[in-house]
Amino acid sequence: MEVVQMQRAWVEYTKSLFREGFLDAQFQQLQLLQDESNPDFVAEVVSLFFEDSERLLSDLTFALEQQNVDFKKVDAHVHQLKGSSSSIGAQRVKNDCIAFRSFCEEQNIEGCQRCLQQVKQDYCLVKSKLEALIRLEQQIVAAGGSIPMEELSF
């Protein structure tokens, strides 16, 4: 695939992620911070988000499996996940965390477990979509092209 086709595919794919509610304006802000002096900025931030999220999801799973669930601890983990997903613009995960926190307040174990499954599902979706986006960006750069940020007008 030639550079122009890859760039066009990148623009369409990125727009679809916003349209489908996977990403929000915060992700655009991250993209604007990336430049020649820091060409891997978004990939690095997203990679840290993946590491942090997987640790938090593991901690949440463990906390909700306990005989006596510590809802304050669960809420603290959800709050952290909400913050990190919000900071990279992972809109669906952030929204799931908002609902999750209300079940923590109510100390509703079934609601928390349902929300955990929804968060895991949306996290896996956004992770695979971001990985595909970053791979496409790397292919564009490797082929001598640049990321067409200016074509992302919403």
Side-chain angles (χ1 to χ4, degrees):
M1 193 183 315
E2 66 179 70
V3 173
V4 173
Q5 289 174 306
M6 287 190 289
Q7 289 171 323
R8 202 169 308 134
W10 180 88
V11 168
E12 289 310 310
Y13 188 66
T14 303
K15 285 182 177 181
S16 76
L17 295 179
F18 286 93
R19 250 191 336 270
E20 295 168 19
F22 286 103
L23 300 175
D24 63 22
Q26 185 59 37
F27 189 77
Q28 276 184 295
Q29 294 301 312
L30 272 183
Q31 289 176 310
L32 293 173
L33 294 173
Q34 183 166 288
D35 58 21
E36 270 83 49
S37 67
N38 200 352
D40 297 323
F41 179 74
V42 173
E44 290 168 6
V45 171
V46 166
S47 178
L48 291 172
F49 167 70
F50 293 159
E51 290 173 25
D52 194 40
S53 296
E54 286 170 24
R55 178 186 53 78
L56 288 167
L57 289 170
S58 176
D59 291 348
L60 279 165
T61 301
F62 180 78
L64 287 172
E65 289 171 346
Q66 300 310 300
Q67 189 70 34
N68 295 314
V69 173
D70 181 346
F71 286 98
K72 283 189 171 149
K73 184 182 280 187
V74 172
D75 186 59
H77 292 317
V78 175
H79 183 70
Q80 264 188 296
L81 184 58
K82 179 180 162 255
S84 60
S85 58
S86 181
S87 71
I88 72 143
Q91 184 173 325
R92 284 190 185 184
V93 175
K94 177 189 75 173
N95 291 342
D96 292 342
C97 289
I98 291 168
F100 201 153
R101 291 196 74 199
S102 67
F103 285 115
C104 288
E105 276 180 37
E106 298 168 9
Q107 298 193 357
N108 179 333
I109 186 72
E110 292 83 14
C112 285
Q113 289 168 334
R114 279 194 312 274
C115 280
L116 178 59
Q117 293 314 308
Q118 187 63 50
V119 167
K120 285 180 176 180
Q121 180 181 336
D122 284 337
Y123 167 74
C124 287
L125 281 169
V126 80
K127 181 179 182 191
S128 70
K129 291 181 181 292
L130 285 171
E131 287 172 337
L133 183 69
I134 290 168
R135 266 193 313 276
L136 188 52
E137 287 180 1
Q138 290 167 341
Q139 290 169 348
I140 290 168
V141 171
S146 60
I147 307 305
M149 289 299 300
E150 63 282 353
E151 292 184 41
L152 281 184
S153 54
F154 292 97

